[in-house]
Amino acid sequence: MSPPTAVKATIISDHPQTYEDEHVHAVYDEIAPHFSSTRYKPWPIIARFIASLPTGWVGLDSGTGNGKYLPLPLNRPGDIWTIGVDRSRNLLSIARKAGEGDVTREVVWGDVLGRPWRDGAFDYAISIATIHHLSTAERRKAAVQRIIQSISPSHGRALIYVWAIEQDDLSKRSIPSDQTAALTDSTGQDVFVPWVLTSPAPKVGPKVKPRRRKQNQQLETPTPETSQEDVARESQQRVFNRYYHMFAKGELTALVHDAARGLALEVGPEPVGSEEKRRGLHIVEDGWERSNYYVEFKCWECT
Amino acid sequence: MVRLITHNLLACHAKGCTTNNFPLQFKDVSIELREAEFNPEFLKGFMPRIEWKALVDAARQLGDTTLPSEMPEMVDDEFLKNLHHALLEVHVEEGAMVCPNCNHVYPVSNGIPNMLLAEHEIA
Ligand SMILES: [Zn+2]
């Protein structure tokens, strides 16, 4: 029998929305406080991206979770405003209080496939560890298109971050290589990742409050989830299987290209001295960081 | 949270609703005022991105009449403080936002707007 933290291959059996409701949204609503207590440290690429944004910019965090990116950059608070969207109402209750002090964050209950914004209203967008929860290639492409449409066509910048098939050595997760080898190519891999929750859900009391930040920083390692080993030792536990699409090498950047072309955007750097009206999207950087793939792009427009 | 900074960005996205879908109209709202850190540099940077009339109308709907009808070309400290208050210190806690075009109702509860659509309403 495999340990409860092992990753299992999965086949998407239902209507995608129904499937994600059960294997993503319902799970996050259940595990919200515990999940949040393990998610504090921003990954370096994301912190660097946010630190590079000019004062006065307003952005969208699509799939904000517990809102850990909403207070950034910490060294110049309030210079930019990031508005968080998530499908999990319970995570949003945590996100609206994210960060130090008594600052209230802006959060919106919504879906990453929705488009409840003026077109191009934002200066930037981030989508961190979110698109990999969508269960078809079409839906992942649509989510990228919603991001492109939400940012300014002339200067909008975005960063997308998803889980990679290629895991680093720090990750203790076992990836099922044998039974899914056939599925592992440029189209990625569909898996369940268990979240082990000590059960029954604790009554509110001083002993069961989420652990303090200082301790959690010790626990945090740069993988999508790590702390289930700690709680797995407890006798009563419930296992929630979260659906992930693990991205293959090159798949994320190809997805952004595809999404851009689907919106009639050119893909490539902004042309110099163009006389005609053109719109496009330029990949600024892409790569792999600590078990994740990321892509940063910017939009451009010649008028 | 629905503060006017967010309200100024939100638009209706129900199926087929693509024109006159901004700004959403507040309905039966209760508000709370909470102080926020004043950051004039942020405000100056954000100003060109604001839909000004939508902001002024929404602020007036919430009882704040300090903003001028036209966005001023020269900004002084008093104006920036008023803008700061309207954008970042007025919290709509309960109520709803209604689309001026299709009348779709987006509820606000515990300060969080619900912009989800039922599957048949998604464009
Ligand atoms: Zn509408």
Side-chain angles (χ1 to χ4, degrees), chain B residues 12-14 17 21 99-104 106:
Chain B
C12 180
H13 62 136
C17 189
N21 57 345
C99 173
N101 181 44
C102 74
N103 294 320
H104 190 94
Y106 296 96

Side-chain angles (χ1 to χ4, degrees), chain A:
Chain A
M1 198 182 126
S2 56
T5 51
V7 171
K8 295 190 285 285
T10 183
I11 309 279
I12 296 129
S13 46
D14 289 316
H15 180 35
Q17 182 68 62
T18 314
Y19 186 85
E20 290 158 20
D21 283 346
E22 179 180 354
H23 297 295
V24 179
H25 311 310
V27 176
Y28 276 113
D29 263 344
E30 282 275 352
I31 69 177
H34 177 232
F35 172 82
S36 182
S37 71
T38 66
R39 292 294 186 285
Y40 278 106
K41 256 189 168 169
W43 285 307
I45 297 272
I46 304 161
R48 198 183 71 196
F49 174 80
I50 293 175
S52 75
L53 299 169
T55 295
W57 275 27
V58 171
L60 169 68
D61 182 359
S62 178
T64 191
N66 68 354
K68 71 173 164 177
Y69 299 107
L70 303 183
L72 300 186
L74 293 176
N75 61 338
R76 30 184 205 108
D79 274 8
I80 61 173
W81 270 88
T82 308
I83 296 171
V85 172
D86 206 276
R87 181 81 193 218
S88 164
R89 184 65 170 66
N90 290 349
L91 282 173
L92 285 182
S93 300
I94 297 166
R96 75 188 276 218
K97 289 286 163 203
E100 296 290 337
D102 197 25
V103 182
T104 312
R105 311 292 166 189
E106 285 293 289
V107 299
V108 169
W109 193 9
D111 193 294
V112 298
L113 296 176
R115 198 177 158 188
W117 316 104
R118 293 195 265 123
D119 283 347
F122 294 98
D123 300 297
Y124 64 95
I126 58 173
S127 169
I128 311 301
T130 298
I131 287 172
H132 58 209
H133 286 312
L134 295 165
S135 60
T136 69
E138 265 318 295
R139 290 164 73 79
R140 293 188 285 273
K141 176 176 156 186
V144 174
Q145 291 182 326
R146 296 299 93 80
I147 288 167
I148 296 170
Q149 289 162 326
S150 72
I151 59 176
S152 161
S154 60
H155 68 260
R157 293 175 54 189
L159 178 70
I160 300 175
Y161 216 90
V162 294
W163 205 23
I165 289 180
E166 289 76 18
Q167 297 285 298
D168 68 12
D169 296 340
L170 287 169
S171 170
K172 301 219 168 60
R173 208 167 290 105
S174 65
I175 305 300
S177 52
D178 49 340
Q179 74 263 43
T180 57
L183 299 172
T184 309
D185 50 25
S186 62
T187 59
Q189 199 172 4
D190 292 320
V191 297
F192 272 150
V193 179
W195 184 273
V196 181
L197 188 68
T198 307
S199 176
K203 298 258 184 289
V204 177
K207 283 194 172 159
V208 295
K209 283 194 175 146
R211 286 161 296 179
R212 302 308 304 167
R213 173 168 318 195
K214 276 282 180 298
Q215 293 159 17
N216 275 301
Q217 282 180 344
Q218 306 297 317
L219 292 172
E220 182 88 2
T221 69
T223 56
E225 59 288 305
T226 50
S227 72
Q228 55 277 61
E229 285 93 350
D230 302 312
V231 290
R233 293 188 206 101
E234 305 285 339
S235 54
Q236 289 179 301
Q237 46 183 232
R238 283 192 293 166
V239 178
F240 294 90
N241 280 316
R242 280 170 304 160
Y243 166 80
Y244 275 80
H245 175 79
M246 298 168 81
F247 277 69
K249 190 167 197 288
E251 185 182 355
L252 178 61
T253 302
L255 182 69
V256 172
H257 285 182
D258 198 22
R261 294 201 181 97
L263 296 172
L265 298 180
E266 293 178 43
V267 174
E270 181 171 0
V272 184
S274 169
E275 302 276 303
E276 10 160 19
K277 192 170 161 64
R278 291 162 71 177
R279 284 189 56 197
L281 176 153
H282 174 49
I283 305 281
V284 177
E285 192 180 327
D286 61 356
W288 179 94
E289 182 192 44
R290 301 183 178 188
S291 306
N292 294 274
Y293 285 114
Y294 65 92
V295 61
E296 180 188 336
F297 59 84
K298 82 179 282 294
C299 296
W300 53 261
E301 189 176 46
C302 316
T303 48

Side-chain angles (χ1 to χ4, degrees), chain B residues 56-77:
Chain B
V56 173
D57 290 349
R60 286 180 186 166
Q61 224 190 330
L62 300 180
D64 180 343
T65 56
T66 60
L67 296 177
S69 302
E70 301 290 326
M71 192 194 289
E73 287 181 13
M74 303 287 282
V75 296
D76 58 20
D77 218 41

